[in-house]
Amino acid sequence: MSNDLTAGSVWKYGDGVDTDLLAPGAYMKGAMEGLASHCLEAIDPGFASQVKSGDVVVAGKNFGIGSSREQAAEVLRMLGVTAVIARSFGGIFYRNAFNLGLYALVSEDVEHIEKDHRISIDPLAGRIVNETTGETLACEKVPEHLAAIVAAGGLIPHLEKTLRKIL
Amino acid sequence: MADQVLQTAVSQTLAEKIIAQAAGLSTVAAGEIVTCNVDLAMIHDSGGPRRVKPMLERLGVQVWDPTKIVLVSDHYVPAFDAQSAAILKLTRDWARDQEIEKFYDQQGICHVVLPERGHLAPGMFVVGGDSHSPTGGAYGAYMFGVGATDMAGVLATGETWIKVPETILLRWHGSLGEGVTAKDMMLKLCATLGMDGGDYQAIEYSGATLAGLSMQERMTLSNMAAELGAQTGLIGPDQITAEAISDAGGDPGDWEKWSGDEDATYRAIHDFDAAELPPQIAAPHSPANAGSVEDVEKVAVDQCYIGACTGAKLVDLHAAARVLKGRKVASNTRLMIAPASTRTTAAAAADGSLAALTEAGAILLPSGCGACAGYGAGVLAEGEVCMASIARNFKGRMGSRESFVYLGSPYSVAATAVMGHIADPRPLLAEGSGS
């Protein structure tokens, strides 16, 4: 099984992208599709309508701070985002991201990636290739058991598969 | 035998002691990943049944122990449209189907209801389906927030994994001045340490200042450990803790054993002077944008809001009432108060503080998360400015993405309501009650 993510386009943001920006409270009661359509609208109104499957969000410090609502990770996944690369993450979001099938990758090299760059990622090796600039960058390696959860689409589908094998 | 002696000689932080007990180990070390038995799981209407029910059904499993689950409907409270009504109904139906007896339907905000009903005690390992779950740390419980998928795992197995955190010790010295509260301490910490200062480690508050704080003030400290990015915010129990638990009908147990060893290893120790602390105001859009009220411009505000698990407990209403008694809310603004629980409202009604608030012109809202989370009544229009006693002022959180929220203590919010602009509560307190 390869966990290489094929090249995707970058959406770049700054520090402290919080869960209210990702999953605004006013839309939390409705269906996930509606919530996803408002993802990040307060800082980037075009994001939800223009983001494409395979795209990657790159940000600064403390991505996903705030609420424990895991819809903040789920909407990114629904919109096709495969990974968030950031200098650091809010602790609850970090766990939620893997549980919902989204890579959360810690990297000190985010300054070397800009909006609309094309990057490919090997999470197991902890390697990011910026295909636009030709640079090879580093991120923290993802352990295999977490990569398996992401590959299954999240913890629940992963457990469903593994439990079925046991039964 | 020698090994045993060595083991018991290992110095542990309070966090390590609680996690070790939950993991069934004699000691744990920071950085180690361990599986813990969960003493109590707390979920609410937003992240609870409507998220975990389909997950548990998909896996074909039942909740591990209904007696160890507390379910609180506080986010969509009261229902304001058919969707929110459906969420509350689903929550109620699930509580009945799963035989959850500790179900509090629209009785207040989960973090306040939990200790109010005696469900917390020192040494407990508690998982909450909400980011302000560190509030339970005020009772000497290791309580932290998780998302719904992690919670589904807890509900199915009664266990969860945790990376044993290091502890950051925040020592406060001296007594707070008049009109200065735990909320001001927290805004000061957010400005000083930053919203990632906690680095998902454990924070422990200590020092002489703490001994002089009521349990509800201590809850504000632990609650906003979330805004420091910590996993929890512990306070070692004392006589005040034990009495509060007993008064709530709980059992404080062997509370005296739950303290960190003096020579335990801390990642960092920071010292702060409470006596020198002026009221703090955080400007939009981060709690870390905090500074002394003396340095903040007298910004006119459209709305003042006293609410949320952080800022609408009984002590918070008492603080607001001290400022507002005999005074009126300024004509250019409005004051909304959403008491943190129905028991808070009842107590404030009984002691007269509620009348002081409503006679000043405050508008009373239901007990729930409400406008703080952008869910309920009291949200803001584009261009509006609000001064609030809540924990977070993230862009768009309280309504329009083009609204502006300042944070302060309930004293400061009340003073702002009286003046119509951001104001220092101390001159009003020094004047005494209005005529």
Side-chain angles (χ1 to χ4, degrees):
Chain A
M1 178 187 71
S2 167
N3 279 91
D4 270 32
L5 304 183
T6 50
S9 289
V10 166
W11 296 78
K12 180 86 186 276
Y13 303 103
D15 294 341
V17 173
D18 61 67
T19 51
D20 288 284
L21 296 174
L22 292 161
Y27 309 103
M28 283 282 289
K29 65 183 161 67
M32 283 303 301
E33 291 75 15
L35 182 62
S37 72
H38 295 283
C39 179
L40 292 175
E41 68 178 6
I43 55 168
D44 186 356
F47 172 76
S49 58
Q50 290 161 26
V51 65
K52 292 192 175 53
S53 184
D55 283 0
V56 175
V57 170
V58 179
K61 287 195 308 180
N62 234 3
F63 190 93
I65 48 166
S67 166
S68 64
R69 62 184 75 152
E70 64 186 13
Q71 290 96 324
E74 193 174 5
V75 289
L76 289 173
R77 196 69 199 89
M78 281 183 73
L79 292 169
V81 173
T82 52
V84 179
I85 304 171
R87 234 180 239 291
S88 63
F89 289 89
I92 303 177
F93 180 90
Y94 186 79
R95 262 178 97 137
N96 288 345
F98 287 96
N99 283 341
L100 274 297
L102 177 72
Y103 278 112
L105 303 169
V106 177
S107 173
E108 285 296 319
D109 292 342
V110 294
E111 300 308 323
H112 296 264
I113 310 172
E114 294 303 331
K115 180 166 163 50
D116 296 330
H117 280 179
R118 300 275 301 170
I119 62 170
S120 56
I121 307 165
D122 183 344
L124 290 174
R127 189 171 56 233
I128 302 164
V129 176
N130 187 331
E131 302 189 349
T132 305
T133 65
E135 281 179 289
T136 298
L137 309 169
C139 63
E140 282 183 13
K141 288 180 191 174
V142 173
E144 274 186 43
H145 72 278
L146 284 184
I149 290 172
V150 175
L155 182 63
I156 298 296
H158 176 71
L159 285 177
E160 202 182 19
K161 268 200 324 201
T162 49
L163 288 175
R164 201 167 287 153
K165 268 185 207 155
I166 296 165
L167 303 171
Chain B
M1 193 66 203
D3 279 350
Q4 269 184 354
V5 172
L6 275 175
Q7 274 189 358
T8 52
V10 171
S11 294
Q12 300 260 285
T13 62
L14 176 54
E16 287 166 342
K17 287 185 183 180
I18 300 172
I19 292 168
Q21 173 171 283
L25 300 167
S26 55
T27 61
V28 294
E32 200 178 339
I33 293 178
V34 293
T35 298
C36 291
N37 288 311
V38 173
D39 294 312
L40 194 73
M42 190 276 294
I43 53 177
H44 57 54
D45 53 331
S46 183
R50 75 175 177 131
R51 298 278 302 175
V52 299
K53 179 174 180 277
M55 296 180 198
L56 296 174
E57 285 171 355
R58 196 167 163 182
L59 298 176
V61 294
Q62 299 290 316
V63 300
W64 100 104
D65 186 347
T67 66
K68 291 182 176 173
I69 298 168
V70 177
L71 172 59
V72 182
S73 281
D74 57 5
H75 275 61
Y76 295 103
V77 167
F80 44 89
D81 59 13
Q83 273 180 324
S84 50
I87 292 169
L88 291 178
K89 180 173 186 302
L90 184 154
T91 306
R92 216 170 281 130
D93 290 349
W94 190 81
R96 187 196 58 228
D97 293 347
Q98 300 295 320
E99 299 176 349
I100 311 288
E101 288 184 4
K102 299 181 181 106
F103 172 43
Y104 302 101
D105 194 354
Q106 315 188 55
Q107 301 293 299
I109 306 171
C110 56
H111 307 298
V112 174
V113 168
L114 211 54
E116 198 177 72
R117 309 295 171 131
H119 295 315
L120 293 177
M124 287 173 74
F125 186 85
V126 188
V127 181
D130 190 276
S131 63
H132 282 114
S133 297
T135 312
Y139 287 79
Y142 197 97
M143 185 164 179
F144 62 106
V146 298
T149 300
D150 269 338
M151 182 54 79
V154 171
L155 296 180
T157 66
E159 297 177 347
T160 198
W161 64 271
I162 188 171
K163 186 175 183 180
V164 180
E166 294 184 287
T167 294
I168 300 167
L169 191 63
L170 304 179
R171 294 191 299 209
W172 282 84
H173 308 281
S175 298
L176 290 167
E178 175 76 338
V180 184
T181 68
K183 178 62 175 289
D184 300 294
M185 293 165 68
M186 285 315 301
L187 292 177
K188 176 71 181 175
L189 290 174
C190 287
T192 307
L193 303 175
M195 291 196 71
D196 55 356
D199 195 26
Y200 207 47
Q201 307 301 307
I203 278 174
E204 185 176 336
Y205 302 98
S206 72
T209 314
L210 274 287
L213 295 181
S214 66
M215 283 313 293
Q216 293 193 346
E217 279 282 87
R218 296 179 190 186
M219 284 165 68
T220 304
L221 299 181
S222 296
N223 175 280
M224 284 189 70
E227 276 57 50
L228 293 172
Q231 189 174 37
T232 194
L234 290 165
I235 298 173
D238 60 12
Q239 198 67 45
I240 294 172
T241 322
E243 280 171 19
I245 293 169
S246 297
D247 289 350
D251 177 8
D254 196 3
W255 61 269
E256 280 159 315
K257 74 174 184 181
W258 294 109
S259 63
D261 294 324
E262 283 205 358
D263 50 352
T265 305
Y266 295 94
R267 173 191 279 200
I269 300 174
H270 299 283
D271 291 282
F272 298 90
D273 184 357
E276 293 297 314
L277 186 73
Q280 301 286 302
I281 307 289
H285 298 284
S286 170
N289 287 344
S292 166
V293 67
E294 294 145 1
D295 301 328
V296 177
E297 279 184 62
K298 293 189 169 83
V299 181
V301 302
D302 301 291
Q303 176 167 308
C304 298
Y305 185 81
I306 291 174
C309 51
T310 314
K313 304 178 292 302
L314 188 61
V315 290
D316 302 316
L317 300 196
H318 285 166
R322 278 191 60 208
V323 173
L324 285 158
K325 189 173 171 58
R327 296 193 172 93
K328 293 287 180 197
V329 173
S331 59
N332 68 310
T333 192
R334 54 188 185 260
L335 171 62
M336 304 203 175
I337 300 181
S341 70
T342 50
R343 284 195 180 174
T344 303
T345 311
D351 68 24
S353 48
L354 195 64
L357 300 171
T358 53
E359 280 165 19
I363 301 160
L364 208 56
L365 298 180
S367 291
C369 306
C372 171
Y375 284 64
V379 295
L380 302 168
E382 184 178 334
E384 283 195 319
V385 177
C386 179
M387 171 72 169
S389 66
I390 65 179
R392 290 179 189 143
N393 55 348
F394 296 156
K395 189 173 168 68
R397 177 173 166 88
M398 210 175 172
S400 168
R401 64 195 190 210
E402 298 304 330
S403 58
F404 304 89
V405 179
Y406 289 80
L407 304 177
S409 75
Y411 281 120
S412 297
V413 177
T416 299
V418 169
M419 304 302 289
H421 56 74
I422 290 175
D424 187 336
R426 293 172 297 182
L428 293 176
L429 290 168
E431 274 175 27
S433 293
S435 55

